[in-house]
Amino acid sequence: MRRLPPVLLEDGCPRELISLIRTVLAACKEISFRVGQGALSGVLGSTLDENIQGETQKKLDVLTNQLLKDILLESGYVKAIASEEEDFTVAGNPDANYIVAFDPLDGSSNTDINSLVGTIFSIMAAPEGAVPADPSIFMQPGKNQVAAGYVLYGPSTVLALTTGKGTRFFTLDKTHGTFLLTQDFATVPEETSEFAINASNQRHWQPAMQNYINDLIAGDTGPRGRNFNMRWIAAMVGDVHRVLCRGGIFTYPTDTKDPNKPNKLRLLYEANPMAMLIEQAGGIASTGTERIMDIQPDAIHQRVAVILGSKNEVETCLSYHK
Ligand code: F6P
Ligand code: MN
């Protein structure tokens, strides 16, 4: 089976970018091991702290963030990093050409129930002459990403990766510590009968999304004339992985539950990398009114509405928003 570096070299991916991706993956291999140890390593449960976004930090949030941060900054390949668990961007090597935004452990509330979690990352080129300490180097739309991916820590550890030449899956061979190519050019089926929502929020959504989901739930007795199934893992990384594997529509739409937080998912290290993976596999990723990867960010932890997945189903959902 083919290893990750030769596959990317054949695509013409710059060596420095391959080295950076391998650096991210070095941290992810260690995270895979720690997560797999579960209660044996004493890392389950919460800390007493909250992150800047007011979320309780799990011990594994802190540990995985530190691992990625240390390994990336030590490597010399990054000019700066942005993380869900860091209040501000962190400066790296002034001579480096890339910046990385990451969610070190997406779905971390799943750790205590031995369910799916993963690391999401987004890589962009640092603007010419940029200063590492300047957070505005991250204020680039997602279409500027040169690579994006996630590592899903499930029954097997799977990497979904794109460098703009399609989306591929690699599986970690835990005996040898190597990511091996297990699926070239994943494609999201255009049609689907499966949707992923946190249904407990439905009454707080805008009318367009409520109407759309009501029509799915009405099944063969409603305007869609066929039945739909629902799946929800409560970790975006797990839900997006399912969509990439067998199609579906995933949405975390705008809601009015908390007026200070109309959207849940973060643009830089959740929505953008997932949008690139989905688009590279033939799917669509939108906020309901615009393509996610066209959004010009104005804050590191900015949140957006997300609707992504199978082309025809996302288009149907968007038609309710017109
Ligand atoms: O990172 C945010 C996140 O954990 C996503 O992975 C997930 O889709 C969502 O929040 C689940 O949140 P909730 O359970 O509040 O709907
Ligand atoms: Mn997350």
Side-chain angles (χ1 to χ4, degrees):
M1 252 185 261
R2 294 158 75 212
R3 289 166 53 244
L4 179 129
V7 173
L8 297 185
L9 269 175
E10 284 162 25
D11 279 354
C13 187
R15 281 176 188 275
E16 199 183 334
L17 179 56
I18 297 176
S19 299
L20 171 54
I21 292 169
R22 294 182 75 184
T23 304
V24 172
L25 297 180
C28 293
K29 286 179 203 173
E30 189 161 343
I31 295 172
S32 172
F33 178 76
R34 300 284 185 118
V35 168
Q37 288 280 89
L40 298 178
S41 58
V43 291
L44 301 187
S46 302
T47 65
L48 296 175
D49 297 327
E50 281 188 351
N51 64 17
I52 195 172
Q53 302 165 63
E55 296 164 341
T56 309
Q57 282 183 310
K58 293 282 178 189
K59 287 183 194 164
L60 270 169
D61 285 324
V62 177
L63 183 103
T64 54
N65 180 57
Q66 197 65 47
L67 266 171
L68 274 156
K69 184 174 159 183
D70 287 350
I71 292 179
L72 279 169
L73 294 178
E74 208 175 275
S75 74
Y77 292 123
V78 287
K79 185 162 280 204
I81 58 163
S83 163
E84 177 178 326
E85 304 303 335
E86 296 285 334
D87 297 359
F88 308 104
T89 60
V90 183
N93 176 6
D95 299 323
N97 294 312
Y98 295 104
I99 55 176
V100 182
F102 57 84
D103 177 351
L105 202 64
D106 180 60
S108 56
S109 64
N110 276 352
T111 51
D112 296 341
I113 57 163
N114 197 24
S115 190
L116 288 180
V117 287
T119 299
I120 310 173
F121 59 92
S122 157
I123 303 178
M124 292 199 260
E128 210 56 22
V131 183
D134 178 1
S136 72
I137 59 181
F138 282 92
M139 300 301 106
Q140 305 184 45
K143 62 188 170 198
N144 286 11
Q145 292 172 109
V146 292
Y150 60 77
V151 177
L152 179 69
Y153 311 109
S156 57
T157 293
V158 173
L159 162 70
L161 178 68
T162 179
T163 55
K165 300 260 168 70
T167 291
R168 295 181 169 108
F169 294 133
F170 299 80
T171 303
L172 179 62
D173 171 356
K174 292 184 182 170
T175 311
H176 303 99
T178 318
F179 279 98
L180 298 174
L181 181 68
T182 39
Q183 192 181 339
D184 228 348
F185 308 117
T187 49
V188 183
E190 290 187 359
E191 294 289 348
T192 184
S193 295
E194 206 161 66
F195 62 99
I197 54 164
N198 181 340
S200 70
N201 294 328
Q202 184 168 3
R203 71 184 189 282
H204 304 291
W205 297 339
Q206 293 164 339
M209 190 53 89
Q210 297 218 27
N211 294 340
Y212 167 68
I213 294 294
N214 283 339
D215 288 351
L216 297 187
I217 292 171
D220 60 10
T221 64
R224 299 298 302 271
R226 63 189 171 97
N227 293 326
F228 286 79
N229 194 17
M230 198 194 90
R231 286 284 182 273
W232 183 248
I233 289 173
M236 185 193 199
V237 69
D239 284 307
V240 170
H241 187 64
R242 187 187 56 256
V243 169
L244 275 172
C245 289
R246 69 178 189 204
I249 179 166
F250 165 92
T251 178
Y252 215 109
T254 300
D255 66 53
T256 54
K257 206 160 75 171
D258 173 354
N260 297 317
K261 205 174 87 176
N263 295 305
K264 171 109 189 188
L265 299 174
R266 275 58 55 106
L267 175 62
L268 263 57
Y269 41 80
E270 293 179 320
N272 270 341
M274 293 313 203
M276 185 174 181
L277 289 162
I278 289 284
E279 283 196 9
Q280 286 290 318
I284 299 180
S286 168
T287 62
T289 51
E290 65 180 316
R291 181 185 179 221
I292 285 174
M293 288 202 290
D294 282 340
I295 300 171
Q296 173 61 48
D298 53 32
I300 297 296
H301 300 292
Q302 176 172 346
R303 295 172 191 263
V304 284
V306 172
I307 306 168
L308 61 76
S310 294
K311 184 172 174 292
N312 295 348
E313 196 52 43
V314 174
E315 278 172 354
T316 302
C317 178
L318 296 181
S319 71
Y320 283 68
H321 289 75
K322 293 222 170 89

